[in-house]
């Protein structure tokens, strides 16, 4: 792929997966370990991190992958374990539902945690990873954003907005550091059958349920993308078409989204 160095060789690579105790992160840990990577599994849920690490022959590093101290502790523990971190998967995320008014409005706490975990976690990871990566001219960051960060997510304002910010940060890193050997990729699935989708409420399940894929589809898409370095990793290929339609005619696209919202309104 243009302007990007050779794909990542997973065999022997040192890899960190945040939010690796469940869903997409657990699948990534499984697939990376099967490909011969040395994997560190992080999760806020310590038991879940240990269970997945035990299952795949990885090392657990439980803790908060979003706070300044948590990110520093995770990267330090991972460097102790792996030596170099070759691939950091900023995958942990939270999915607050709700809009801006009425009974279903998202709270201040929802907005704050959405930005902490879905955006600032990535900024903080980049802050501690980049100095060493730039020095050695090599490093790989895979950000799990969402198709909601390219399109939108009806019924979940903090999620849609924070995932746009996650994509924007990944774009900024990619534009700024590609020529210095840093590969940044944004994983943007639509519905994936995980506990997060289950917990996404009636609207979430109505919007995403029908076309939801199993985590294995996401794992396949990630392995393929790590090999060629493309920026957007789209386990649902139709998202590419939606993005083109949005860019070509934002008014028509937003009109269609509003008609969909009208069908969802009680
Ligand atoms: N499931 C979907 O439909 C879907 C679609 C698009 C994007 N995503 C994104 O994929 C990522 C993984 O989601 P999933 O569907 O596997 O959900 P999941 O709920 O199965 O797993 C998320 C994991 O992240 C952990 N976590 C949350 N906050 C954390 C923190 N601060 N530090 C460490 N761990 C933390 C949770 O404990 C949980 O184990 C998220 O970023 C999510 O937004 C999911």
């Amino acid at each position: 792929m243009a302007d990007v160095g050779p794909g990542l060789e997973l065999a022997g690579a040192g890899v960190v997966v945040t939010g690796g105790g469940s869903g997409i992160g657990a699948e990534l840990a499984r697939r990376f370990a099967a490909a011969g990577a040395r994997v560190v599994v992080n999760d806020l849920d310590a038991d879940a991190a240990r269970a997945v690490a035990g299952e795949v022959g990885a090392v657990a590093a439980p803790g908060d992958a979003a706070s300044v101290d948590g990110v520093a502790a995770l990267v330090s523990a991972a460097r102790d374990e792996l030596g170099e971190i070759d691939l950091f998967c900023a995958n942990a995320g939270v999915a607050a539902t709700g809009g801006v008014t009425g009974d279903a409005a998202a709270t201040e706490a929802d907005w704050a945690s959405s930005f902490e975990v879905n955006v600032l976690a990535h900024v903080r990871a980049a802050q501690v990873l980049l100095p060493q990566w730039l020095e050695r001219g090599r490093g790989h960051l895979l950000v799990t954003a969402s198709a909601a960060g390219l399109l939108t997510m009806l019924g979940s304002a903090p999620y849609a907005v924070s995932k746009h910010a996650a994509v924007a940060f990944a774009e900024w890193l990619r534009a700024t550091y590609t020529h210095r050997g840093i590969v940044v990729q944004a994983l943007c699935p639509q519905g994936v059958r995980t506990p997060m989708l289950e917990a996404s409420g009636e609207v979430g399940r109505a919007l995403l349920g029908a076309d939801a894929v199993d985590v294995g589809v996401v794992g396949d898409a990630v392995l393929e993308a790590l090999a060629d370095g493309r920026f957007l990793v789209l386990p649902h290929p139709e998202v590419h078409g939606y993005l083109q339609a949005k860019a070509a005619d934002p008014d028509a696209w937003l009109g269609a989204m509003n008609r969909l919202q009208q069908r969802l309104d009680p």
Side-chain angles (χ1 to χ4, degrees):
M1 188 144 294
D3 297 334
V4 178
L8 183 80
E9 176 58 62
L10 278 169
V15 180
V16 178
V17 183
T18 72
S22 176
I24 293 169
E27 175 68 6
L28 294 182
R30 221 171 272 131
R31 300 291 286 267
F32 296 154
R38 297 169 297 119
V39 182
V40 168
V41 178
N42 156 270
D43 205 288
L44 205 49
D45 179 338
D47 290 340
R50 287 192 197 101
V52 172
E55 180 204 325
V56 308
V59 171
D64 184 359
S67 68
V68 172
D69 291 350
V71 172
L74 171 60
V75 169
S76 163
R79 281 184 177 140
D80 287 349
E81 184 59 39
L82 303 169
E84 301 284 0
I85 297 170
D86 298 298
L87 166 63
F88 190 94
C89 301
N91 168 79
V94 290
T97 58
V100 293
T101 187
D103 289 345
T107 63
E108 272 301 315
D110 291 332
W111 282 99
S113 65
S114 298
F115 273 85
E116 278 290 314
V117 185
N118 295 348
V119 187
L120 291 175
H122 307 168
V123 175
R124 291 163 183 158
Q127 285 168 341
V128 291
L129 291 163
L130 274 170
Q132 286 199 13
W133 281 356
L134 290 171
E135 202 175 314
R136 71 174 174 141
R138 195 155 47 88
H140 206 120
L141 178 68
L142 176 71
V143 166
T144 305
S146 168
L150 300 170
L151 304 167
T152 192
M153 175 73 191
L154 295 175
S156 300
Y159 191 71
V161 175
S162 62
K163 290 296 188 178
H164 270 73
V167 172
F169 183 61
E171 285 174 348
W172 186 90
L173 288 174
R174 175 95 173 197
T176 303
Y177 292 116
T178 294
H179 66 296
R180 299 183 65 183
I182 311 300
V183 180
V184 180
Q185 298 177 287
L187 171 58
C188 296
Q190 283 195 296
V192 185
R193 288 184 202 98
T194 70
M196 180 181 282
L197 182 61
E198 278 307 304
S200 65
E202 223 171 287
V203 173
R205 286 192 296 276
L207 287 171
L208 300 174
D211 296 323
V213 298
D214 288 326
V215 288
V217 172
V218 180
D220 289 343
V222 167
L223 288 196
E224 201 182 296
L226 287 176
D228 68 23
R230 76 189 71 161
F231 177 65
L232 280 184
V233 187
L234 302 177
H236 301 72
E238 61 271 28
V239 169
H240 188 246
Y242 301 154
L243 190 57
Q244 283 180 319
K246 178 184 173 183
D249 191 343
D251 292 302
W253 183 79
L254 286 167
M257 291 305 289
N258 178 248
R259 284 191 292 282
L260 180 54
Q261 177 64 52
Q262 291 178 48
R263 292 210 293 276
L264 294 169
D265 276 349

